[in-house]
Amino acid sequence: MFYGLTPKSTRKLAYEYAKINNLQYPKTWDERKEAGQDWFSGFLRRNPNLSLRTPEPTSLARMTAFNKHTVGVFFNKLEEVIKRYNFRPNEIFNLDETGVTTVPRSEKIIGKKGCKQVGQVTSRERGELVTQVAIICSNGNALPPIWIFPRVRLDENRMMSGAPPGALGLTHPSGWMTSGNFIKVLEFFKENVRCSKEKPVLLIMDNHESHLSVEGLSFCKDNGIVILTLPPHTSNKLQPLDRSVFGPFKKFFSSAVQSLMNSNPNALLNIYSLPALCASAWDRAATPENIKSGFRAAGISPFDKDIYSELDFLPSAVSDRPMPEPQEPQSLPIEESSSPLPQTPIGGGSSKSTDLQPLPQTPLADVIAKSTDLQVITPEDIRPLPKGKIRVESNRGRKNGRCMIATDTPENLSWRRESRMQLPREEF
């Protein structure tokens, strides 16, 4: 549930558990109000499936957004478009962007024990960011990559040196995706896929504002590209690229950069070297096996709306907020968790973070007073699971997105009215 116990809090919990249940324990535990280090080491030995791990920081919005209702809406819409157009595996695509930099994360190296600082050479202190656009198909194929360079004009001879055949280079001063560049990406996609109104294809992507411009959606409608957007903050679970391709790609890219720096001492790495390095890493990461695995793990192809279990939805149980997204007649109702945990409505699909109460911890005296009616006091009685509180939504910040078939005009217009979205103005 993303609220893991540190070694120290685990030792305190063990002491409280032993004291409340009148178990034998060393007297030294009473002095420090926690179990000893030797007990913790033995605990890990007795439970070989447990180990100390460095957790990945996960936002509250991402933690609570992946819930039964949100995922149910996505799979309902996915099932609807697949049945409507009879999409086959070679007609289902996923698009997403990822950033590559001239100073990627260094790989692990062998160092001497006890040495406080171990360094690794990099090109400079801070790197330049280039956005790579990736498009994969559920049949295992991948389109040539697209790069957006942080420049005003494209110098194709220098910037695309070493790029694979068919790759596309774009520019923007920030190096990020914009509505104008995304239309060029859609044109590139149509040219490679050769879709039309008679032969439509499905493109699954996130609901970033640059993806949902009026001009871009009009282009998709005219050329048979059906857009299905992912629910906000669920791409780590529902997006095939995030599930099985981007992870290996970043690893292979970092390895290629490090090999280049080691074989060329005192050489500076710039954005003109990135396409060749990215192409090498992309070929190793975007294999048919990895691509098919990503679509299969997300439940998209083959279609499986029941691929996620109750355990996958458990982190969202900390949120008591109702879904801000309007309910549709065919959408799934909000279901309650069937787990033995305290029953709380599953919600929290908003893009804003949830205000959480501090982890509650019941005083020992109160728990002991209630222990006469219980045979065994459980760790959950001592340290209850976290539970969110309802808060007033703020109108500031970026507007909420939602899962929708963006090329369906009524649904798109309804979303724009609800979010009060203005017509975008292109930045040049």
Side-chain angles (χ1 to χ4, degrees):
M1 296 181 68
F2 299 97
Y3 286 91
L5 296 174
T6 64
K8 189 173 185 64
S9 59
T10 303
R11 290 159 58 187
K12 288 184 177 180
L13 181 60
Y15 164 72
E16 295 173 1
Y17 178 83
K19 185 176 182 63
I20 291 176
N21 289 284
N22 296 320
L23 303 178
Q24 293 183 359
Y25 58 86
K27 295 182 179 180
T28 54
W29 289 19
D30 287 322
E31 300 175 2
R32 299 184 177 181
K33 305 299 182 183
E34 62 182 27
Q37 181 63 45
D38 55 344
W39 173 88
F40 182 73
S41 300
F43 176 75
L44 293 181
R45 286 195 300 269
R46 292 188 298 273
N47 296 272
N49 60 321
L50 300 180
S51 63
L52 289 177
R53 302 285 299 274
T54 300
E56 180 181 353
T58 305
S59 67
L60 288 172
R62 186 175 294 277
M63 186 183 82
T64 58
F66 191 80
N67 54 72
K68 278 188 176 181
H69 172 80
T70 304
V71 175
V73 169
F74 169 74
F75 278 112
N76 283 345
K77 294 185 181 298
L78 177 61
E79 185 177 22
E80 176 186 344
V81 294
I82 290 178
K83 289 183 177 180
R84 185 194 305 176
Y85 297 98
N86 295 318
F87 286 129
R88 296 172 295 178
N90 63 324
E91 298 169 337
I92 301 176
F93 295 83
N94 177 218
L95 178 150
D96 194 22
E97 299 94 354
T98 186
V100 290
T101 175
T102 54
V103 184
R105 181 180 298 179
S106 299
E107 294 184 298
K108 291 184 178 181
I109 61 173
I110 298 174
K112 186 177 180 180
K113 288 186 177 181
C115 184
K116 300 299 183 182
Q117 291 185 339
V118 179
Q120 183 69 26
V121 62
T122 60
S123 179
R124 47 175 58 90
E125 294 292 336
R126 298 181 60 182
E128 286 189 275
L129 176 72
V130 175
T131 298
Q132 175 170 328
V133 183
I135 306 174
I136 58 175
C137 181
S138 62
N139 66 354
N141 293 331
L143 271 63
I146 305 168
W147 292 286
I148 303 176
F149 296 93
R151 296 291 186 270
V152 176
R153 296 179 181 84
L154 179 67
D155 186 350
E156 191 164 355
N157 292 331
R158 298 183 64 191
M159 295 180 181
M160 300 300 290
S161 176
L168 177 65
L170 303 173
T171 60
H172 189 270
S174 66
W176 297 346
M177 177 63 76
T178 61
S179 300
N181 275 334
F182 191 69
I183 294 177
K184 297 178 182 178
V185 171
L186 292 174
E187 294 172 351
F188 174 85
F189 175 75
K190 176 187 177 300
E191 181 181 351
N192 282 269
V193 177
R194 301 185 183 279
C195 54
S196 63
K197 287 186 176 181
E198 293 74 25
K199 296 178 60 178
V201 297
L202 174 63
L203 184 60
I204 301 173
M205 59 186 184
D206 60 42
N207 46 32
H208 190 269
E209 56 186 0
S210 64
H211 298 169
L212 302 176
S213 67
V214 176
E215 295 83 357
L217 294 179
S218 298
F219 178 87
C220 292
K221 293 178 184 178
D222 295 338
N223 293 277
I225 303 174
V226 181
I227 301 293
L228 176 63
T229 62
L230 296 166
H233 306 292
T234 60
S235 59
N236 61 320
K237 292 282 191 179
L238 296 177
Q239 182 150 251
L241 279 166
D242 285 337
R243 294 299 301 264
S244 64
V245 179
F246 279 162
F249 169 72
K250 291 297 183 68
K251 179 181 178 181
F252 293 138
F253 173 74
S254 298
S255 178
V257 170
Q258 199 59 60
S259 297
L260 180 65
M261 296 296 297
N262 292 340
S263 58
N264 296 274
N266 205 30
L268 294 179
L269 182 66
N270 52 40
I271 62 172
Y272 307 113
S273 306
L274 292 184
L277 298 172
C278 291
S280 174
W282 181 249
D283 289 341
R284 298 177 63 188
T287 62
E289 293 79 9
N290 285 352
I291 294 174
K292 292 179 182 179
S293 175
F295 279 95
R296 183 170 56 252
I300 296 176
S301 180
F303 180 78
D304 184 5
K305 65 189 309 180
D306 299 319
I307 194 169
Y308 296 105
S309 65
E310 292 289 336
L311 189 62
D312 296 311
F313 298 120
L314 195 58
S316 64
V318 303
S319 173
D320 277 344
R321 291 184 301 148
M323 288 293 296
E325 183 175 315
Q327 301 290 332
E328 295 181 340
Q330 69 273 18
S331 64
L332 294 177
I334 299 179
E335 300 180 15
E336 293 185 351
S337 171
S338 59
S339 64
L341 301 176
Q343 299 296 315
T344 57
I346 297 179
S350 172
S351 61
K352 300 180 179 62
S353 62
T354 308
D355 288 340
L356 289 179
Q357 299 172 349
L359 290 176
Q361 192 162 359
T362 307
L364 284 178
D366 296 342
V367 178
I368 294 174
K370 299 177 181 179
S371 63
T372 55
D373 300 330
L374 299 174
Q375 294 182 351
V376 177
I377 303 297
T378 65
E380 186 179 342
D381 296 322
I382 303 171
R383 188 184 178 94
L385 295 171
K387 183 178 179 181
K389 61 181 180 180
I390 299 177
R391 69 175 178 84
V392 179
E393 292 289 339
S394 172
N395 293 326
R396 296 179 298 176
R398 204 168 78 179
K399 300 300 180 182
N400 294 337
R402 72 177 186 185
C403 174
M404 62 179 175
I405 308 173
T407 46
D408 284 3
T409 302
E411 188 169 359
N412 184 271
L413 292 178
S414 173
W415 169 69
R416 290 182 180 275
R417 283 195 299 267
E418 291 165 7
S419 60
R420 300 181 178 91
M421 175 172 282
Q422 302 295 326
L423 294 180
R425 291 181 294 181
E426 181 54 41
E427 297 177 0
F428 294 96

